[in-house]
Amino acid sequence: MNKLKIAIQKSGRLNEDSIGILKSCGIYIDNGIDQLKASATNFPIDVLYLRNSDIPQYLEDGVVDIAIVGENLLIEKDKNVEIVEHLGFSKCRLSLAVPKEVEYTGPQFLQGKKIATSYPNTLTQYLKKNNVEAEIHVISGSVEIAPNIGLADVICDLVSSGSTLFKNGLKEVEEILSSDACLVKSVLLSPEKQELLDILLFRLRSVMRAKSSKYVLMNVPNDKIQEVSDLLPVLKSPTVMPLAIEGWSSLHSVIDEKKFWEVIDKLKEAGAEGILIIPIEKMVL
């Protein structure tokens, strides 16, 4: 029986989010403590827990079929792999940072400077694009300490909340790229395994669609149903159900949550009352 081999980061936030989204897709991984390979109990997939930086090479070589990795890593490693879906979690950005007392004046500030980073290839491309020559120091971890020990004038590192920079007396001055987690596949994937991937993608997209949507219910006077319906940012026409109170109906629909908040005041002005917003676990179209 064919099985997909998926690589995920063996520890850290990306690991937790990756396992979480698989679980949301109804895929449960039977793994023990410190186990580097595990199987799903109800889907033909094996999970390999690998060092993050090694995953793109495993994909290119076809050792694993698919993986969940940050787009920033794919850009840095520049391997022959294919992004299948942006997953929207583990968002971060690769940015330049300098000591907070330093006045940053733009990319030309970097000319002749020493820059510490774990992303030398991405940084090199950025410097080349801006016609800047700088001295790159490659560090595998704790990049933010480099200016404090005199190793570098500037750092180029991943930033999420910015709290680590702040704690080390640094400030973010330039964003080089933004990134989120991606589902990536090997270009060597067989047709049989592509069929399994298509099933997984169907589940993933249903979960992701549900996260950005909400089920909404509201009570509306019958003579205001059309006006309220026209205001709703819905997928299709809403469901209308009569209430026990004469002249009123309950209006049900699925909405984009972000767009809903743009029209909430207009809905109330149009006569909608008792508005309920309910999370959706899965949404299959």
Side-chain angles (χ1 to χ4, degrees):
M1 179 182 178
N2 275 316
K3 276 190 173 186
L4 279 174
K5 293 180 181 177
I6 182 171
I8 65 173
Q9 184 176 317
K10 65 181 179 180
S11 61
R13 181 182 171 188
L14 190 54
N15 168 279
E16 295 171 2
D17 288 341
S18 300
I19 294 296
I21 198 166
L22 289 176
K23 186 176 180 180
S24 296
C25 293
I27 299 172
Y28 296 92
I29 311 302
D30 185 17
N31 64 303
I33 299 175
D34 296 328
Q35 194 172 342
L36 298 181
K37 181 180 178 182
S39 297
T41 56
N42 57 351
F43 193 85
I45 192 168
D46 288 332
V47 179
L48 280 70
Y49 299 96
L50 304 174
R51 190 170 66 174
N52 203 38
S53 59
D54 293 337
I55 292 176
Q57 186 66 59
Y58 280 113
L59 273 170
E60 186 176 60
D61 294 341
V63 175
V64 296
D65 304 309
I66 59 175
I68 297 177
V69 293
E71 186 181 13
N72 58 288
L73 181 64
L74 298 175
I75 293 171
E76 174 65 22
K77 297 298 184 180
D78 193 26
K79 299 297 181 181
N80 184 26
V81 298
E82 180 182 337
I83 294 178
V84 180
E85 192 79 23
H86 285 267
L87 301 177
F89 58 78
S90 294
K91 292 183 178 181
C92 62
R93 55 196 180 273
L94 185 66
S95 295
L96 297 170
V98 300
K100 58 184 179 182
E101 67 275 6
V102 171
E103 182 181 353
Y104 178 78
T105 55
Q108 290 304 314
F109 170 87
L110 305 171
Q111 182 68 36
K113 296 292 194 297
K114 294 182 290 184
I115 308 176
T117 187
S118 300
Y119 294 86
N121 295 329
T122 308
L123 175 58
T124 297
Q125 290 301 314
Y126 173 80
L127 295 175
K128 184 178 180 180
K129 178 182 177 181
N130 288 279
N131 298 313
V132 171
E133 292 186 4
E135 184 180 336
I136 298 175
H137 290 262
V138 181
I139 301 176
S140 59
S142 301
V143 176
E144 61 277 352
I145 199 174
N148 291 330
I149 61 175
L151 180 63
D153 307 297
V154 184
I155 71 165
C156 175
D157 201 16
L158 289 181
V159 179
S160 181
S161 66
S163 61
T164 302
L165 293 180
F166 180 79
K167 290 175 183 177
N168 285 276
L170 302 174
K171 62 181 179 181
E172 184 179 1
V173 293
E174 194 89 46
E175 180 180 315
I176 292 179
L177 62 86
S178 59
S179 172
D180 68 344
C182 298
L183 181 68
V184 191
K185 76 172 185 177
S186 169
V187 297
L188 303 175
L189 195 68
S190 69
E192 294 78 13
K193 290 189 175 183
Q194 180 63 52
E195 290 182 6
L196 292 175
L197 176 56
D198 290 341
I199 296 171
L200 176 60
L201 275 172
F202 177 80
R203 296 189 186 188
L204 276 170
R205 288 166 179 162
S206 296
V207 169
M208 292 167 60
R209 195 180 297 116
K211 286 184 177 180
S212 62
S213 301
K214 294 290 184 289
Y215 191 79
V216 62
L217 304 86
M218 63 188 72
N219 297 331
V220 181
N222 288 345
D223 60 351
K224 297 290 186 178
I225 289 175
Q226 189 59 54
E227 182 180 350
V228 170
S229 297
D230 291 342
L231 289 171
L232 279 174
V234 300
L235 293 174
K236 290 186 178 180
S237 177
T239 299
V240 179
M241 303 175 65
L243 293 177
I245 302 175
E246 187 175 349
W248 284 78
S249 293
S250 178
L251 192 149
H252 299 213
S253 189
V254 174
I255 60 166
D256 183 315
E257 184 181 24
K258 292 180 181 178
K259 292 181 180 178
F260 175 77
W261 291 113
E262 297 173 5
V263 300
I264 180 66
D265 291 332
K266 293 180 180 178
L267 290 171
K268 293 170 66 177
E269 289 174 8
E273 297 180 2
I275 302 172
L276 299 179
I277 305 169
I278 303 172
I280 301 173
E281 187 175 336
K282 309 285 188 301
M283 192 164 76
V284 180
L285 297 181

